[in-house]
Structure formats: structure tokens, C-alpha cells
Amino acid sequence: MDTNPDSSQQDQSMNSSTAGAAEAPKTGWGMDFEVAVCERCDWSYLMPTGSLPQTCPHCFQAHLTSLGEQLQELPYIKPPELCLPFTLSSARLAQSIESFARGIPFAPADLNPKTLQSRLRRVYLPMWLVDAQVKASWQAEAGFDYQVVSHQDRYQDYGGWTSQEVKEGRVRWEPRLGRLDRTYSNIPVPALGEEGRIQSALGAYALDDARPYLPETLSGSFVRLPNRTPEDSWSDAKPAIQQAAAEECGDAASADHIRSFRWSPEFASQNWTLLLLPVYASYYQDDEGKPQPVLLHGRTGRLSGARRASPKRAQSTALSMLAAALVFGLIAMVILLVGIAMPALLAIGVIVLVFALLVGLGAIYPLAAVWWFNRQERPGQI
Ligand SMILES: [Zn+2]
């Protein structure tokens, strides 16, 4: 079978850039900017000159160090072609933070929507989109669904023999091979080593709404600079293109499934587009005053962060419960003493005493819940 899907329909409208190291890095952004790095978490940022706080918006634990004019060490510092705008409403943002806090027993007092919103930073994360022309011969096994109908006969004591139709789904596999001449466009490829973790924590981005880069988009925002060049990322692009090709060959063969796809591709005309994705960064302080960073998807509001319960809040709740237990215990003792003279009160005294003991024992719960929660939770820093 010869498969030659038509590539002329592909959207080629996106601008493209050529891979390369930082040449004349200060041009093309359309604004004055500075470049800084966090020496604690090693995230590097580009940001409009003089307008932003100098604390790292990733770990919130270190001041950024300006790189001045020493930009040659950075893997890539050319301006992006595309940008996905922030669209998250403040109501949705507050809702997201509230539901995050609700999932933590005895959440720290600092973890509340108002505080987190007051510390919010806008950060753009980079992603590559690659276009590539591919010529290849391929072979695979194409799977076709079909149903087998059989009949099961059963004997029942009162009904005699009955026959029941049983349908069973099966897949028929057939070998297929062909040639492919195709351009694949806008295949997403990580521009950050940590992108896999970020995407699994925040969810994917729908890229349809990407807009051409305009300098004013970055007003008040940090831009995380790529730590992978197109050359570094090409090894991730090839499997993604192969996956797209396998699916297309399956479609071309009208197959329901495709497996054992093998090909010998020749790639040409690669074009790389840098796209910026929006995230919000903020933090709350735990009991020790240590910032616990949280990241939010800039369009869906999905939130990821370290979840720490507050032992201090648990202790104060436990102390309140113990104090209440003590008060009820004293009341019970008084009633029991009076009950020596008035036996009718003895039963009430015993009930109040049992209640006091239960409240006293219940004081263990806040401490145990917080200890268990903090033990179970893995560090949430991306
Ligand atoms: Zn940092």
C-alpha cells in the first residue's frame, strides 16, 4: 500500500526561527530587559528592566543575580515567536487556591487566597514547536476490530434448554507497508529539562490560542529562559513525529489500531518556533516561615505545590480540646460530689465525666492527622 498523505493542507503560518546560540542577544525583544539567575534553583529569567521584585518566582527563597552583559553562557536567548496569553479570572484563581487549602488538614494560616494573590507573579515558560519535512518508507501491523457472534446453550430445571447470543470483540492484524512524504507542523517539544514534571503537575496547554509575540505581553512578567536548545530537544522531537506518523499511517490504512510501526525517516526543513506558556507563581509560609511555592496554570487554574499541614495549628486545637476536657472533668467531679448527697445526680455526673474523657482523647486527633499528612506528602516543588 502506498500512503502519501497530502501535506499542502498543513498550517504553515507560524513564524519560524533557526536554531542557534545566543547571537546579538539584546535584539529582537522590542524592549529593555535584564537577565538574572537564581543561584539556589538555577532558573534563569529575562524580565523588563527595573519593574519586578528580585526574589526568584520559582523557589521564593533567593534573590536573583543579574548576569549583566554576560549572556553568552545561556543556551538560548532569542525572542519568542508566539505567546499564549493569561486568561485566568481572579474568581477562578481564588477558587483554585481555596480548594487546594481545603485538601490540607490544619492548613497554615498563611495559606489563604488573599495572601497568595497578593504575592502572585506572572511567569512565562518556554516550549518549542518544531516543523519538519519527512520522507520515509514504513511498515507496521494494522489492526481491524471485528465481532465474533456465538451462542451459548444452557439447561435450566424449569425452562429446559435456552440459547443466548454472545458477542466478543476481536482484532484482526494485517501487515501494511508504504512510503510517506509529509510535513509535520507544530510538534510540541520541551524547551526545559523540567517540562515533563511541570506538565504532569499543571496539565497540558491547548495551543490553538497562541498569538504572535508582542513586547507589551511581557509587561510585569518574568520569562523563564530555555535550558535546552533546538539541538538538545531534537532527540525528543523524533519520537513525537514518529507517533504522529504512525497514527496517520493507521488512518490512511483505515485501521482501528496500529502496532510495531517501523520506519527509516529522512528529515529536512526543520523550523523551530519558541512559544511562551503562562503560569502564575506564588507561595505560602509554613510554621517555620519557610516559603512553600505553588504554581498555577495560567489558563485553567490547575494548581500544584507543596502541601504542608501546620503542627502549630494542630497543637493549639489540641490544647483547646484538653482545656475543654479539663473544664468538663471538673464539672463532672462537682456533680459527683453533690451526687453523694443526691444519688439522682450520679448518673449525670458519670455521663459528663465520660464526655470529658472523650474530648480529652480526641485531642490526639489534630496532632496525629497533621503528623500523618506531612509524612505522606511528597515535596511538591517542581
Ligand atoms: Zn530560585
Side-chain angles (χ1 to χ4, degrees):
M1 190 193 70
D2 188 19
T3 308
N4 188 4
D6 180 12
S7 64
S8 63
Q9 302 290 317
Q10 285 294 297
D11 177 11
Q12 299 287 336
S13 63
M14 289 185 172
N15 293 329
S16 57
S17 64
T18 312
E23 305 157 1
K26 287 263 178 183
T27 59
W29 286 85
M31 62 172 188
D32 290 332
F33 63 82
E34 56 186 316
V35 175
V37 65
C38 171
E39 285 172 0
R40 186 180 179 278
C41 68
D42 206 29
W43 277 40
S44 53
Y45 305 95
L46 181 145
M47 53 213 187
T49 307
S51 59
L52 288 167
Q54 295 294 307
T55 311
C56 171
H58 173 237
C59 66
F60 288 99
Q61 290 190 48
H63 277 277
L64 297 173
T65 307
S66 174
L67 292 183
E69 296 297 318
Q70 295 175 322
L71 308 180
Q72 303 78 11
E73 301 289 308
L74 294 167
Y76 194 93
I77 195 175
K78 289 184 182 177
E81 286 79 25
L82 293 172
C83 191
L84 207 54
F86 284 88
T87 51
L88 192 62
S89 68
S90 55
R92 178 77 189 83
L93 187 71
Q95 200 185 354
S96 226
I97 297 168
E98 266 166 26
S99 62
F100 175 72
R102 231 180 288 129
I104 304 175
F106 303 95
D110 199 49
L111 175 49
N112 64 73
K114 212 174 156 190
T115 314
L116 261 71
Q117 272 177 299
S118 72
R119 296 168 180 159
L120 218 54
R121 308 269 190 278
R122 288 156 57 106
V123 183
Y124 283 103
L125 302 180
M127 174 192 262
W128 292 115
L129 297 175
V130 62
D131 305 336
Q133 195 185 350
V134 189
K135 287 184 182 178
S137 52
W138 62 271
Q139 51 183 302
E141 287 181 47
F144 301 90
D145 291 335
Y146 68 101
Q147 282 193 328
V148 177
V149 179
S150 59
H151 289 85
Q152 280 185 353
D153 295 326
R154 281 202 189 129
Y155 185 81
Q156 290 173 325
D157 285 348
Y158 298 103
W161 283 97
T162 54
S163 185
Q164 196 183 11
E165 190 178 273
V166 179
K167 288 181 181 172
E168 193 186 341
R170 291 190 189 168
V171 180
R172 184 181 70 253
W173 293 99
E174 295 177 6
R176 289 284 191 274
L177 55 88
R179 285 197 55 76
L180 179 146
D181 184 355
R182 189 86 170 86
T183 299
Y184 292 94
S185 298
N186 302 323
I187 302 288
V189 188
L192 291 176
E194 31 310 59
E195 189 164 305
R197 274 180 288 146
I198 294 172
Q199 291 246 353
S200 68
L202 298 184
Y205 284 80
L207 305 181
D208 307 341
D209 200 23
R211 318 260 170 91
Y213 164 70
L214 293 170
E216 49 269 33
T217 319
L218 301 190
S219 171
S221 306
F222 293 84
V223 178
R224 168 77 163 98
L225 290 168
N227 57 15
R228 306 184 75 202
T229 62
E231 289 85 353
D232 298 333
S233 298
W234 178 237
S235 58
D236 287 329
K238 280 195 278 190
I241 295 172
Q242 179 173 338
Q243 178 67 28
E247 283 168 14
E248 268 191 355
C249 292
D251 289 346
S254 304
D256 300 304
H257 314 275
I258 194 106
R259 73 179 185 189
S260 306
F261 183 86
R262 293 187 300 280
W263 71 340
S264 46
E266 286 172 27
F267 296 99
S269 307
Q270 291 169 31
N271 282 316
W272 293 81
T273 302
L274 187 61
L275 164 69
L276 298 181
L277 305 172
V279 298
Y280 285 110
S282 188
Y283 70 94
Y284 65 92
Q285 289 180 330
D286 62 17
D287 280 2
E288 286 79 43
K290 185 182 167 196
Q292 297 289 344
V294 297
L295 273 187
L296 288 108
H297 192 295
R299 294 172 70 84
T300 65
R302 188 162 150 186
L303 190 154
S304 171
R307 287 148 47 95
R308 305 301 298 166
S310 164
K312 266 189 196 165
R313 276 191 67 195
Q315 280 163 17
S316 68
T317 307
L319 284 174
S320 306
M321 290 174 79
L322 281 176
L326 199 64
V327 170
F328 281 114
L330 287 172
I331 292 170
M333 295 311 285
V334 171
I335 295 172
L336 288 172
L337 283 173
V338 176
I340 295 170
M342 297 173 67
L345 287 177
L346 282 174
I348 297 170
V350 169
I351 291 169
V352 176
L353 188 63
V354 169
F355 181 72
L357 284 171
L358 289 176
V359 172
L361 283 173
I364 296 167
Y365 169 75
L367 302 171
V370 164
W371 176 81
W372 184 249
F373 184 84
N374 284 346
R375 190 169 174 269
Q376 294 278 312
E377 280 295 311
R378 284 172 300 164
Q381 172 91 54
I382 292 167

